[in-house]
Amino acid sequence: MRLLYRILRLLVNLFLLAFAVLTLTPMVWLVAATLKSPDDLFHYTFFAPRLSTYNFRDLFSTVPFHRYMINSVFVATTMVVIQLFFSSLAGFALAKYDFRGKKPIMILMLSTMMLPGQVMMAPLYELLYRLHLVDSYAGLIVPGAVSVFGIFLFRQSILQVPDELLHAARIDGCSEFRIYWDIVMPVSRPMIGAFCLISFMGTWNSFLWPQIILHNTDRFTLPIALNQLVGLYQQQYGTLMAGTFLSVLPVIVLFMLLQKEFIAGLTAGAVKG
Amino acid sequence: MSTRQPDIVITTPPVARTSRWFVLQYRMAPYLFVSPFLILFLTFGAYPILKSLLLSFYATNGPKSAVFVGLQNFTFLLSDPDFHTAVWNTAVFAFWSVFLQLPLSLGLALLLNSVWVKGREILRLAFFSPNLLGQVFVGVLFSVLFIPQYGLVNRFLHAIAGIPLDTKWLANPNLVMPALVLTSLWMYVGFNMIYFLAALQAVDKDLYEAAIVDGANAWHQFWAVTLPGIKPVAVFVLVMSTIGSFQLFELPWIMLNNSSGPDQAGLTIVMYLYQTGFVTGDLGYASAVGWTLALGVLLISLLQMRVTGAWKGGTD
């Protein structure tokens, strides 16, 4: 009986390992593809005996790729900081205060999460057009400056902060904002980490809205730029893969740093307890 | 004070300091903190939603001209064969996404839950990593992987199952949807697995012991303890996956090189919205499409919650 258990366990482990390898294969292929010269690209399935930096050189010489990378970094970082601030502030208010209008606000927030965003794309574009915010980063950042999902995350996490902490601060004459800034925020570091990654990922990878808003090629973010590259450089797959690799690297690195917080934050809303 | 209704403002902070400024900032704080969200939401959320309802009764050409057309947008929508194709494609995709992906995610989570802890974290990372890339970059990568003759997919399938090397995926109208489903499987199985794994780990271990005492074998335990235990999360994942599937746009758009593919095989509802609204320029019509999508998604979500709630018993 115990032997059967052992064998089963071994099989499960082997299967999971095999499946993990299968899952990672496309990404390994991606890395390999960036380091192969055009002749070798499809000649060798994965890595070639001679590594080549041709693709990266080609990428940066044919398009201002560094420009797009800087754009994406700017937009994503700005968005994360603003979203972090506004969402945590609102989450704090909803977690630790009782005020008139609290319930309607929460119902409002919940209903927006159920509605697909595409419903408001057309009039939002029209609104931004009238505000002269089309083809600007403001038009990209301002509408998305508050993340309702983020508000829920922070509310969930701030609820755990003991009320006594806040009372004690108030007795000492601490202002409400300072309570938020100096007490609640430092304590919520894990959730801040999780939210930063979620927010960064969402902004970094977003395509549809930036595509609609941005017209000047100088302002393009990486998803839009790469999409254009696909059409522009049909057969130059190596170059394309180099661009893809550079585009996904930042998120992967950030994820490596914030793994635990990310997974905890992601499941905070869904799993009770 | 604690017995009062929650939406009555507490008028004095529980402190000795009662200077006017201190009391004022205490009372104003929650409103101030929520105000950025409210202002931004009213301007860029509520207004567009309501405006789009209005816009859907107009035909526009660019953001400056608008002609009232009543229900014409909707009648055209219902009779447009392209829209039918879009709805069909999106529904098929959603169907496979749910009925293929979710069991896989759950299965993987179950297997992972039984593995020793160290390995579990590494494996979890491996399965989840595809999700980090985002639909656009995955689309670019897989558009190259699906290349006939040289692409990794064909090479792999040929080596394993002898499938012809020159199978066209993204140029063959019958294989476009399988390619999309496969790609989204790669991206999202790990993502949903995370939720299931967390849910599995949250199930009260005592319940399993009680079941074992009552003589339940592994199979019984699964049905009587595990499934009911993860039901809330399962419903959440189900609804979220469905809503997400119906919004599919970026993956096919990128993989099919900014088109709807051969015979419109990759046309989705949001792609249809994008093409009519932002390529052709009729924002009014796009609003009508958007609202039809929203209503459809809402109905399906409610249906799903009804079915799963009623089916598994309502006393959770």
Side-chain angles (χ1 to χ4, degrees), chain A residues 32 44 49 53 81 137 155 157 207 214 253 256:
Chain A
Y44 300 92
T53 56
V81 170
Y137 286 144
R155 176 173 180 269
S157 126
F207 172 76
L214 300 172
V253 167
M256 294 294 188

Side-chain angles (χ1 to χ4, degrees), chain A residues 19 23 27 42 98 100 108-109 112 116 118-119 123 126 130 170 173 176 205 207-208 227 237 255 262, chain B residues 6 15 17 25-26 31 37 41 47-48 51-52 125 127-129 132 136 147 155 186 247 250 258 290:
Chain A
F19 204 69
T23 307
M27 299 196 288
F42 290 122
D98 279 325
R100 199 174 293 143
L108 200 68
M109 282 179 8
T112 63
Q118 292 83 15
V119 120
E126 193 208 33
R130 282 199 262 123
R170 283 193 192 111
E176 299 309 302
N205 292 333
F207 172 76
L208 185 52
N227 179 44
Y237 299 119
F255 178 73
F262 177 70
Chain B
V15 290
R17 193 171 142 187
Q25 62 94 39
Y26 175 77
Y31 298 103
F37 161 71
F41 174 73
Y47 169 73
K51 187 75 197 291
S52 84
L125 185 66
F127 292 128
F128 179 74
S129 48
L132 297 169
V136 177
I147 290 175
R155 285 256 183 103
W186 186 72
Q247 296 177 301
E250 292 167 359
N258 291 3

Side-chain angles (χ1 to χ4, degrees), chain A residues 114-129:
Chain A
M114 290 232 65
L115 215 62
Q118 292 83 15
V119 120
M120 58 172 104
M121 262 168 30
L124 190 56
Y125 182 78
E126 193 208 33
L127 173 66
L128 289 174
Y129 181 83

Side-chain angles (χ1 to χ4, degrees), chain A residues 122-142:
Chain A
L124 190 56
Y125 182 78
E126 193 208 33
L127 173 66
L128 289 174
Y129 181 83
R130 282 199 262 123
L131 291 175
H132 300 285
L133 287 179
V134 171
D135 198 21
S136 75
Y137 286 144
L140 202 54
I141 293 175
V142 174

